[in-house]
Amino acid sequence: MKNFQQHIQKLIRSIPVQIGLLALFFCVYHLFLKYIMRETGLDLGAVGYNRHVVPLYAQPSFDLNFWILPALVVCTGFLYLCYRYLLSDISDRRLIGIAIVCFIAINISVAQIDGYREIGAEGEKERILTLLEPYTRTSLEYYGDVPRVDEFGIRRFLRDYSKPELFDILSGHTRTHPPGGVLFLWHVSGLFGYNLISASLVTIFFTALTVIPIYRLAEMFYGQKVARYALLLFLVTPNFVMFTGTSMDGPFSVFPILSVYLFYIARKRETIPDQKWYEFRPYSLLTGLSLALGMFMTYSTVVVGVFLCVIALLERQRVVQYLKVLLFAGSGFIGFYLVLFVLTGFRPVEALWAAIKKDEMGMGTGYESIDRYFHLSFANLFAFLIGIGFPITAVWLRELVSTIRNWRQRTLSSEENIGETRIPWIFRYKNADTFVIGFLITLLFFTFSTLFTMEVERIWIFMVPFLVIPVAKHLTERPISDFYWVIGILVAQLIIGEVLLYTYW
C-alpha cells in the first residue's frame, strides 16, 4: 500500500500529469464562467458566453482541411530540428539565425491552417487567405488608417490625433491605441506599397527580431543552456504564434521586450555603487527610449515600466543605484515625447485620455460592481495563462513555488536588521531571482487593476519572456524528456487551438 501511494505521488508530481490537471482545471473554469454569465448576465466586455469560448476572445470554429499539412510539416520539422541539432553545441549567431527562420515559417504556416475566409457584402464576396484577412477589416484595424496619414500629412496627423475632427473618423483600434501602429504600417506601405501582403509579412518579419533580446536576456540570467531552451519554447508559445502573424500586437511586443533586456544590461553595467549620479548611463537612456517607442505603439507598455520599478524595490540594497538608472530611463522617455511635441505638436496625455474614454464606452470601467470586478480580474488572468499554453503555465507555477520557497528559507543576515524592525522577507535578498517574483507582483497588480478588459491572451503577448525564461530554467534541472513533453504539448495545443478556434486575428 505504501509503495502504491508513493507511486501515485510520483505520478502526480510528473510534469505531463500536472499539465493535464491544469488543462482540466481550465476546462472546469470555462464551464463555470459560462454558467455564471448565462444565469446572471455577467458582462465581460467584448467576451460573450453565447458566442465565445470564455474566457478567450475566440469563437468555436472547426477548420480542418489540407492547409493543416504545411503547419504539421513545419512544426514536426522544428521538433526534429530541436532533437537533432538546436540543442547541440552550435554558435549563438547560427542558432539565432535559424530561430528567426523557424519563427517566420511557424507563424505563416499556423496562420494559414484556416485556409481562406470570405469577405465582402452578399453577392460581392471574395476569398482571401486567413493570413491577410484581419487587415481587410479597415473600420477596425490600423491598416485602414494608413491613407489618413497621406491625406493629413504626418505632422498634422500627430498634432490633431486626439481632436474630434480626426479622432472620430479613425478605425476602432486606432482610437484605443497610440498612433505608432498606424505610422508603422504607413512606413511599410511607403517601402513596399499599400497592400495586404506587405503589411502582413513585414508584421511577422519585424516581430521575429524579438528572438534576439529573449535569447540574450535568458543567457544573461542563467547561461547558454537555459537561453537555448527558452528560445525554442518561445518559438511555439501558442498565443505569440497565433496572434503575431495576423495582428499588430506582434510588432507592439518588440520594444517592451527590448526594454527589459536593455534595463538588465544597465543593471549589470551601470549600477556601480561609487558611480556619480550625473555620470552618463547610455543603456539606461536607451531603456527609456525603447519604453517610449513601445508606449508610442501600445499603452500596455506601462506593464514593463511598473515591472522595472518593482525590481528596484525588491533589490533594496541597490535601490539608490536603481533610482539613478530609472532617472536616466525616465529622461529618455520624457525626452522622446518632448522632441515629438516640438516637431509635430503631438500631445500624448490627451491621446491617452481620448483612448481611455473610447475604450470605456465599449467595455465599461471594470469596477461597476464587486462581482464584475473579481470575475473580470480572474478571467483576465486565466485567459492569459490559457493563451500562453498549458505546459508553460504548469511549469512556471512549479518554478514560482520553488523560487518563493527558496527565497523564504534564507536566513536574514544581521546587517539587514534595523533595530527591532525586521525587513519583510520579500525585500531581503538582492541575489535571489527577483525576475520571477517581480513579474508575479506586476502580473497580479495589472490583473486586478481594471486597466484591461479581456483579450489579454493577445494584448499581453509581450509578457511571454517573463514565463518562458523561468520555465526554461526549471526544465534544464529536469530530465531532457520533460523538455520534449513540454514543447511537444505546446505544439499540439498550438495546432489544435488554431483548428478549433477563430480568434479574429
Side-chain angles (χ1 to χ4, degrees):
M1 185 65 180
K2 185 177 180 180
N3 289 338
F4 177 75
Q5 290 176 340
Q6 291 175 343
H7 178 73
I8 294 298
Q9 290 175 352
K10 184 179 179 180
L11 185 66
I12 293 175
R13 292 194 190 103
S14 71
I15 286 178
V17 171
Q18 290 182 349
I19 293 171
L21 292 175
L22 183 68
L24 178 62
F25 167 78
F26 283 132
C27 287
V28 172
Y29 172 74
H30 158 72
L31 296 174
F32 167 75
L33 185 60
K34 190 164 186 167
Y35 171 80
I36 292 294
M37 294 178 73
R38 183 178 65 246
E39 297 300 319
T40 67
L42 174 67
D43 177 20
L44 291 184
V47 177
Y49 77 90
N50 59 339
R51 63 186 186 278
H52 293 126
V53 185
V54 294
L56 302 178
Y57 186 57
Q59 293 181 349
S61 176
F62 186 73
D63 294 297
L64 185 61
N65 51 65
F66 76 90
W67 281 100
I68 197 175
L69 295 178
L72 288 174
V73 169
V74 169
C75 291
T76 303
F78 169 72
L79 293 177
Y80 181 76
L81 200 60
C82 292
Y83 173 71
R84 296 292 297 179
Y85 186 62
L86 295 181
L87 290 177
S88 63
D89 189 20
I90 64 174
S91 67
D92 288 357
R93 183 175 296 181
R94 180 172 296 181
L95 176 65
I96 290 173
I98 294 172
I100 290 174
V101 173
C102 289
F103 181 95
I104 295 169
I106 292 170
N107 273 268
I108 293 176
S109 62
V110 170
Q112 267 306 119
I113 286 178
D114 296 339
Y116 288 89
R117 293 283 179 188
E118 288 190 346
I119 63 171
E122 197 66 39
E124 300 178 357
K125 289 186 178 296
E126 62 174 312
R127 299 178 74 210
I128 192 165
L129 294 171
T130 53
L131 179 67
L132 310 178
E133 185 246 347
Y135 288 108
T136 64
R137 301 192 292 262
T138 53
S139 64
L140 293 174
E141 300 297 338
Y142 317 93
Y143 180 79
D145 291 319
V146 170
R148 302 288 185 192
V149 184
D150 287 323
E151 178 186 349
F152 287 86
I154 191 169
R155 290 186 64 184
R156 185 184 169 194
F157 181 81
L158 288 173
R159 186 193 68 199
D160 297 343
Y161 188 77
S162 56
K163 295 180 179 179
E165 53 267 28
L166 174 60
F167 189 80
D168 291 345
I169 62 173
L170 296 174
S171 65
H173 287 138
T174 302
R175 283 185 284 171
T176 55
H177 288 76
V182 177
L183 295 183
F184 175 86
L185 291 174
W186 179 72
H187 284 295
V188 169
S189 68
L191 292 172
F192 305 103
Y194 182 60
N195 59 79
L196 296 173
I197 294 177
S198 65
S200 181
L201 292 182
V202 172
T203 293
I204 297 172
F205 292 169
F206 183 73
T207 310
L209 296 175
T210 55
V211 305
I212 301 172
I214 288 174
Y215 179 82
R216 294 303 182 191
L217 188 61
E219 185 182 38
M220 188 189 306
F221 285 149
Y222 304 116
Q224 191 178 68
K225 184 177 181 180
V226 172
R228 215 173 281 267
Y229 275 43
L231 182 59
L232 299 180
L233 292 172
F234 166 72
L235 293 177
V236 289
T237 300
N239 64 344
F240 210 100
V241 174
M242 293 175 74
F243 295 112
T244 288
T246 53
S247 81
M248 279 297 293
D249 287 280
F252 288 173
S253 69
V254 173
F255 290 111
I257 292 173
L258 179 62
S259 300
V260 177
Y261 172 60
L262 290 171
F263 171 78
Y264 275 98
I265 293 182
R267 171 185 183 266
K268 183 179 181 180
R269 302 185 183 183
E270 300 173 0
T271 55
I272 304 170
D274 58 350
Q275 191 177 22
K276 304 300 183 183
W277 71 270
Y278 52 82
E279 290 185 65
F280 185 57
R281 291 172 168 81
Y283 288 104
S284 302
L285 190 65
L286 287 173
T287 300
L289 289 173
S290 183
L291 282 171
L293 287 168
M295 189 70 79
F296 192 58
M297 299 185 82
T298 173
Y299 295 121
S300 300
T301 304
V302 69
V303 173
V304 174
V306 171
F307 169 76
L308 304 187
C309 295
V310 169
I311 293 298
L313 292 174
L314 289 180
E315 299 189 18
R316 61 181 303 277
Q317 293 87 350
R318 303 167 70 183
V319 67
V320 174
Q321 286 78 28
Y322 275 127
L323 287 176
K324 295 173 184 177
V325 169
L326 293 175
L327 177 64
F328 270 79
S331 299
F333 183 89
I334 295 171
F336 171 84
Y337 281 102
L338 185 60
V339 171
L340 196 63
F341 172 75
V342 171
L343 294 178
T344 68
F346 175 67
R347 294 174 172 79
V349 176
E350 289 184 9
L352 172 62
W353 185 248
I356 290 173
K357 291 300 159 187
K358 171 65 173 64
D359 186 68
E360 287 181 353
M361 286 175 60
M363 304 294 180
T365 63
Y367 49 81
E368 285 81 1
S369 67
I370 294 294
D371 183 59
R372 183 172 193 249
Y373 169 75
F374 280 106
H375 276 296
L376 192 57
S377 298
F378 282 108
N380 274 334
L381 177 63
F382 291 153
F384 172 65
L385 296 179
I386 292 170
I388 209 166
F390 302 138
I392 288 178
T393 299
V395 180
W396 177 69
L397 291 173
R398 289 170 61 105
E399 177 63 18
L400 186 62
V401 170
S402 175
T403 300
I404 294 175
R405 184 187 297 119
N406 292 339
W407 204 350
R408 295 198 65 175
Q409 284 175 349
R410 300 189 184 191
T411 56
L412 181 62
S413 58
S414 57
E415 65 269 21
E416 290 174 325
N417 283 284
I418 306 175
E420 298 298 322
T421 304
R422 293 184 64 83
I423 302 168
W425 69 268
I426 201 167
F427 294 109
R428 293 178 188 173
Y429 302 101
K430 64 182 179 182
N431 295 322
D433 195 352
T434 52
F435 182 76
V436 178
I437 303 296
F439 173 67
L440 174 64
I441 294 171
T442 306
L443 177 63
L444 293 177
F445 171 77
F446 282 100
T447 293
F448 294 96
S449 67
T450 72
L451 293 176
F452 297 91
T453 311
M454 305 307 298
E455 302 182 57
V456 294
E457 66 272 22
R458 173 178 60 86
I459 299 169
W460 286 355
I461 62 174
F462 63 89
M463 294 188 190
V464 167
F466 292 108
L467 286 90
V468 296
I469 293 175
V471 165
K473 172 183 176 290
H474 190 89
L475 291 175
T476 55
E477 300 165 355
R478 305 277 303 177
I480 187 67
S481 59
D482 282 342
F483 171 77
Y484 290 122
W485 272 111
V486 168
I487 199 168
I489 298 173
L490 275 177
V491 168
Q493 181 180 341
L494 171 61
I495 293 178
I496 292 171
E498 188 66 35
V499 169
L500 297 181
L501 300 176
Y502 173 61
T503 56
Y504 302 94
W505 295 277

